[in-house]
Amino acid sequence: MSAAPRYHVLSVLVENRAGVLARVANLFARRGYNIYSLAVAPTDDENFSRITVVVDVESAPLEQVVKQLNKLINVIKISELDPRDSVERELMMLTVKAPPGTRSEILELAGLFDASVIDVGVAELTMSLDDTPQRLDDLEALLRPHGIVDLQRTGRVALPRLDHAAH
Amino acid sequence: MTTTNGGAALIKALELEGVDTIFGLPGGAILPVYDPILDSPIRHVLVRHEQGAGHMAEGYALSTGRPGVAMVTSGPAATNIVTPLCNAYMDSTPLVVITGQVGTPAIGTDAFQECDTVGITRSVTKHNELVTRAADIPMVIRQAFHIATTGRPGPVLVDIPKDIVDPNNPAAHFEWYWPTDDEVSASLPGYKPTIKGHPRKIKDAAEMTLEATRPVIYAGGGILKARAAEALREFAELTDIPVVTTLMARGAFPDDHELCLGMPGMHGNYTAVTAMQRADLLIALGSRFDDRITGRLDGFAPDAKIIHVDIDPAELGKVRRPDVPIVGDCRQVIEELNKVIHKHLDGGREFPDRSEWRSQISGWQETHPLTFEQSAPGELLKPQYVLEQLRERAPEDCIVASGVGQHQMWTSQFWHFTHPYTWVNSGGLGTMGFSVPAAIGAKAGRPDRMVWAVDGDGCFQMTAQELVTASTERIPIKVAILNNAYLGMVRQWQEMFYEERYSEVYLSPDLPDYVKWAEAMGCVAMRVESPEEVGPAIDKANQINDRPVVIEFRTDSAEKVYPMVPSGKTNDDIVVDPTQPDPVGRNSGATR
Ligand SMILES: Cc1ncc(C[n+]2csc(CCOP(=O)(O)OP(=O)(O)O)c2C)c(N)n1
Ligand SMILES: [Mg+2]
């Protein structure tokens, strides 16, 4: 991925109730904003969910996206997470061809990335990796020549980076 | 504590919200709610088509400022009311629409008359909600009215499954309660409209207003929603700044005021359009830089700084980046602005010399007033003449509703608006068929006022059946059909931009026979073909108060709406009436 991010990461706190995700998704579709990835789950307080959504900035000015989202009655708070000021994680599971000839090479790669092998077949391996989206991209690129059979990513989740200096 | 059931609770909740009129039509899924209506003081107006119910509720809201309420059954009834919802959403009209739904166990099974009402209406409502428990009804209804009427108003839909309002269902019974304001706010943690404008921004706006030499106030529908007409007038008079009122704001500032320049936009007054183009400051109050106002955006008001006041933050910067954005309720912000400017003036501050601007404006007003040529004897009527006569013979505070097309633009242009809440029209969505039901709703809400609907022959054929509703319910509206035998506005575009190739716009002057049709619907009906009949027919209609009246005016189909900014062009390319000097120096515009 290039240095200047072409995406924005929004962390959207919403009421945890039926139809809220549909409202958010509907708004993006209706206003022509492209969603790059989306992850949603309840927060520590069950009344609320957090949607982490990666928006393609080419498709819409961020300010409008945020303001339109804010108009949804069930949306409580939106923060933009600048990749430089936040910690991000994403989970990827992938199945790669791993016949006896290349299996050890693949396992070595997995080890270098701290990926875990979670299923082993006759000629394939399934591994999982949770790390930054960039690291996921890297592993994917390195495994691609071996033949990726299946791949599933969760979309990123993120939280603001904490203050490191003592006050 | 009293126990109640969902259906009774729903009607009681509407009563407590102050609802006096519901426009609707029953059916299977909403049946249990229609039973308690028999015992309620609320008036139910039985419509002939659910689209009519929605537009009536809009007409009611636009003329009274109170939310309009419509109630219909599930499935096809819910889909029939989608157009009014979208119309109200575009024009920020407060509505509460209640739809019946199949019982909760049947939801998702493709049951008879089931449709995903909440899904279908999601993008045309400010908010919508499927209620799944009877006990939630009082709270959801309170939320619906709160959301519909506060912030930027809009339509809210509440979808009610049959089982939770069925008194025979034990699960539909619960202990009655009525949530307090605080409980309602607490139940909506994500909804807090900003009302008060930021004081520093208001100071900045005052400063900019005090410095401008070519300022224009660009007043939009938000003025009416915020009940800010008085504050606007004070602001304009205090600052001596001319005002344009958009299609949505007609009546928000009196047309006979010396500072009023009339309507801007695609079919706006030449002076209103041109003053905005040449302004060095546009003070946008509750307006949204709609494409029908701006024309081609990159050529719109090139020298103008922008102060933009709106209660919806998403409007600020959506189209044109403001120099001073102010989020807040128009009335509050304008009142604050007036205070700050007063203080400056009291302190000896003066406005710059704006005499050149004033004389420029009066020059435009002189060379390019709204105009038309009276028809020669034996020719069909000029629609503008009909409108002049209608206006002249109606009381000052008469409410006028219109459909969509040429007749709408002529009504907006030639009706002199002197009171707020007297103009009922479909602006953002441009919904043909709006006027008859909207006029009925307006009359139901303001029985003390005379209500005229000015309709096109095309529009009339879309919703005319609601005149049956008006006759049965004794809602005596008056309808002027400007029968030009065409889908006139489309014809005008085909004439001007498609080389007079008329494709599917001819309707016929006498099929249907409007007089017979209106009479069949219980109305008094007249047909007028010559100028000398116009006045007497209108006077006769104005004296009838016990039933609806329809006058069919046979008008000239060749008449076009001027001025016109062709779509895709900038406002500088405005085409004026062919009898007036062409500001751009084209030898001749389109022909009459
Ligand atoms: C429901 C709907 N369908 C189509 C249109 C497109 N349209 C805009 S104006 C117009 C013609 C309206 O004809 P009429 O009611 O006779 O009014 P006129 O322009 O002749 O005054 C049409 C078809 C619309 N605005 N709304
Ligand atoms: Mg017509």
Side-chain angles (χ1 to χ4, degrees):
Chain A
M1 233 174 253
S2 63
R6 297 172 51 195
Y7 60 87
H8 288 284
V9 183
L10 295 179
S11 174
V12 186
L13 186 67
V14 300
E15 287 181 68
N16 178 14
R17 42 192 315 207
V20 176
L21 180 60
R23 282 177 209 284
V24 171
N26 201 65
L27 185 144
F28 276 80
R30 139 116 169 78
R31 303 244 172 216
Y33 311 148
N34 291 337
I35 297 178
Y36 196 78
S37 76
L38 184 133
V40 51
T43 63
D44 56 322
D45 180 342
E46 282 207 334
N47 293 316
F48 304 108
S49 286
R50 191 179 301 282
I51 300 177
T52 308
V53 55
V54 182
V55 195
D56 176 1
V57 285
E58 320 261 277
S59 68
L62 180 72
E63 184 188 319
Q64 263 299 304
V65 179
V66 171
K67 283 174 165 179
Q68 294 294 346
L69 270 175
N70 248 323
K71 282 169 71 166
L72 295 178
I73 306 294
N74 304 124
V75 167
I76 292 163
K77 191 168 174 239
I78 303 163
S79 13
E80 194 201 348
L81 297 175
D82 184 325
R84 284 162 301 196
D85 296 325
S86 53
V87 286
E88 297 182 313
R89 283 295 178 275
E90 187 174 357
L91 174 67
M92 171 170 76
M93 286 166 61
L94 68 77
T95 301
V96 61
K97 287 195 183 130
T102 56
R103 182 166 290 197
S104 55
E105 189 183 331
I106 288 168
L107 284 172
E108 190 185 349
L109 265 175
L112 286 170
F113 275 79
D114 278 336
S116 0
V117 174
I118 53 178
D119 199 8
V120 181
V122 180
E124 293 167 348
L125 282 178
T126 296
M127 62 180 86
S128 77
L129 174 62
D130 82 271
D131 208 320
T132 62
Q134 179 68 61
R135 292 267 295 170
L136 267 51
D137 291 344
D138 293 348
L139 178 60
E140 185 188 329
L142 288 164
L143 287 175
R144 190 155 292 284
H146 294 281
I148 293 175
V149 180
D150 245 325
L151 184 145
Q152 174 71 57
R153 291 171 68 150
T154 56
R156 75 189 69 202
V157 291
L159 285 174
R161 189 177 284 284
L162 302 177
D163 215 343
H164 292 110
H167 291 289
Chain B
M1 288 247 185
T2 46
T3 32
T4 182
N5 67 71
L10 177 57
I11 296 302
K12 183 164 177 187
L14 295 177
E15 287 170 10
L16 288 171
E17 285 292 348
V19 175
D20 58 15
T21 311
I22 297 175
F23 305 94
L25 192 149
I30 196 79
L31 258 173
V33 184
Y34 267 80
D35 188 69
I37 283 183
L38 285 173
D39 306 320
S40 169
I42 297 177
R43 174 186 194 183
H44 182 276
V45 174
L46 176 61
V47 301
R48 266 44 178 182
H49 186 294
E50 290 87 355
Q51 182 186 357
H55 291 324
M56 285 179 205
E58 291 183 89
Y60 177 99
L62 289 170
S63 62
T64 63
R66 299 196 299 274
V69 179
M71 183 151 78
V72 301
T73 191
S74 65
T79 55
N80 274 350
I81 210 159
V82 170
T83 300
L85 284 169
C86 189
N87 193 78
Y89 186 62
M90 293 290 270
D91 287 350
S92 308
T93 306
L95 293 191
V96 173
V97 171
I98 290 156
T99 47
Q101 182 55 278
V102 300
T104 45
I107 289 178
T109 66
D110 304 316
F112 179 64
Q113 293 193 331
E114 181 193 2
C115 77
D116 176 14
T117 303
V118 163
I120 289 170
T121 60
R122 193 171 282 134
S123 57
V124 295
T125 51
K126 182 173 175 185
H127 190 61
N128 63 16
E129 203 77 64
L130 169 69
V131 190
T132 51
R133 297 184 328 146
D136 292 341
I137 286 175
M139 179 56 106
V140 173
I141 293 296
R142 281 225 63 192
Q143 290 173 336
F145 279 84
H146 179 61
I147 292 168
T149 55
T150 54
R152 180 177 183 167
V156 177
L157 179 140
V158 181
D159 200 22
I160 309 253
K162 185 173 188 176
D163 55 328
I164 69 161
V165 285
D166 177 4
N168 300 318
N169 171 15
H173 291 259
F174 65 97
E175 294 289 328
W176 169 258
Y177 67 101
W178 190 237
T180 63
D181 288 353
D182 287 347
E183 284 164 348
V184 174
S185 310
S187 72
L188 298 167
Y191 182 67
K192 283 182 203 74
T194 305
I195 305 298
K196 232 175 97 52
H198 195 290
R200 208 194 64 236
K201 295 270 194 252
I202 291 176
K203 269 198 194 113
D204 292 349
E207 196 57 40
M208 219 172 245
T209 306
L210 283 157
E211 279 165 13
T213 54
R214 301 190 311 279
V216 172
I217 297 169
Y218 159 31
I223 295 285
L224 294 169
K225 309 295 177 202
R227 308 227 143 228
E230 266 310 302
L232 168 65
R233 189 180 177 136
E234 197 190 322
F235 176 60
E237 288 174 353
L238 176 68
T239 56
D240 196 28
I241 297 178
V243 181
V244 302
T245 51
T246 67
L247 183 66
M248 292 308 299
R250 304 293 287 133
F253 191 76
D255 276 336
D256 54 7
H257 196 288
E258 58 170 1
L259 287 169
C260 190
L261 306 184
M263 177 176 77
M266 181 177 267
H267 290 296
N269 239 304
Y270 178 79
T271 306
V273 173
T274 308
M276 285 177 88
Q277 277 305 89
R278 304 277 169 273
D280 69 345
L281 175 66
L282 285 181
I283 305 168
L285 305 173
S287 45
R288 61 182 176 92
F289 296 85
D290 179 75
D291 52 275
R292 284 293 191 266
I293 298 292
T294 62
R296 209 178 78 205
L297 196 58
D298 57 13
F300 172 67
D303 305 328
K305 287 193 170 158
I306 309 282
I307 296 168
H308 194 172
V309 182
D310 205 287
I311 198 156
D312 180 356
E315 288 304 337
L316 307 180
K318 185 180 84 178
V319 176
R320 171 87 174 241
R321 186 141 296 278
D323 299 273
V324 180
I326 305 178
V327 182
D329 172 80
C330 264
R331 181 158 58 122
Q332 296 225 8
V333 173
I334 298 171
E335 282 171 356
E336 285 308 307
L337 195 53
N338 287 343
K339 275 188 216 155
V340 177
I341 292 174
H342 251 303
K343 228 185 256 162
H344 278 291
L345 296 177
D346 291 347
R349 183 98 182 249
E350 281 176 13
F351 291 106
D353 177 18
R354 298 202 218 109
S355 53
E356 202 185 313
W357 182 230
R358 262 195 300 273
S359 69
Q360 238 178 327
I361 287 175
S362 40
W364 294 325
Q365 285 173 321
E366 242 160 68
T367 52
H368 291 88
L370 288 171
T371 182
F372 70 96
E373 270 171 51
Q374 180 58 294
S375 51
E379 279 181 4
L380 288 166
L381 297 167
K382 292 296 179 187
Q384 302 94 329
Y385 173 69
V386 175
L387 274 156
E388 276 187 355
Q389 290 296 309
L390 277 169
R391 184 55 184 128
E392 213 175 287
R393 288 159 198 275
E396 242 213 300
D397 61 0
C398 176
I399 293 169
V400 60
S402 90
V404 170
Q406 292 181 312
H407 62 282
Q408 174 189 30
M409 292 299 119
W410 285 316
T411 311
S412 179
Q413 290 178 339
F414 286 88
W415 192 273
H416 285 265
F417 291 93
T418 47
H419 291 264
Y421 313 107
T422 54
W423 174 228
V424 173
N425 103 118
S426 165
L429 196 63
T431 307
M432 284 176 69
F434 179 77
S435 74
V436 166
I440 294 170
K443 181 73 182 169
R446 296 300 310 255
D448 54 319
R449 295 282 187 84
M450 181 183 286
V451 179
W452 270 99
V454 178
D455 216 358
D457 46 329
C459 287
F460 185 77
Q461 293 187 57
M462 288 201 178
T463 50
Q465 76 277 13
E466 296 309 339
L467 283 170
V468 180
T469 307
S471 292
T472 4
E473 298 274 346
R474 300 221 168 263
I475 303 174
I477 62 159
K478 306 176 200 309
V479 183
I481 305 173
L482 300 187
N483 177 9
N484 56 4
Y486 274 94
L487 298 169
M489 185 55 96
V490 184
R491 184 194 181 282
Q492 173 167 349
W493 285 55
Q494 291 179 348
E495 179 180 334
M496 293 174 73
F497 313 118
Y498 290 84
E499 297 159 352
E500 300 181 40
R501 286 164 56 83
Y502 300 117
S503 174
E504 304 299 325
V505 286
Y506 179 66
L507 295 176
S508 158
D510 46 19
L511 186 68
D513 181 326
Y514 293 98
V515 169
K516 280 191 192 155
W517 188 8
E519 282 172 354
M521 293 187 288
C523 308
V524 175
M526 294 174 255
R527 176 174 298 127
V528 173
E529 288 172 288
S530 64
E532 66 279 4
E533 298 169 338
V534 172
I538 293 169
D539 287 342
K540 185 175 163 199
N542 285 349
Q543 272 153 26
I544 296 170
N545 282 315
D546 60 347
R547 71 198 67 191
V549 189
V550 174
I551 310 180
E552 176 204 357
F553 294 97
R554 289 279 175 91
T555 61
D556 181 359
S557 56
E559 195 61 28
K560 291 192 286 295
V561 185
Y562 288 114
M564 177 172 195
V565 178
S567 83
K569 295 279 176 70
T570 76
N571 287 347
D572 289 328
D573 295 318
I574 186 166
V575 179
V576 298
D577 188 282
T579 62
Q580 295 177 344
D582 184 353
V584 198
R586 287 168 295 233
N587 355 2
S588 79
T591 48
R592 237 180 202 289

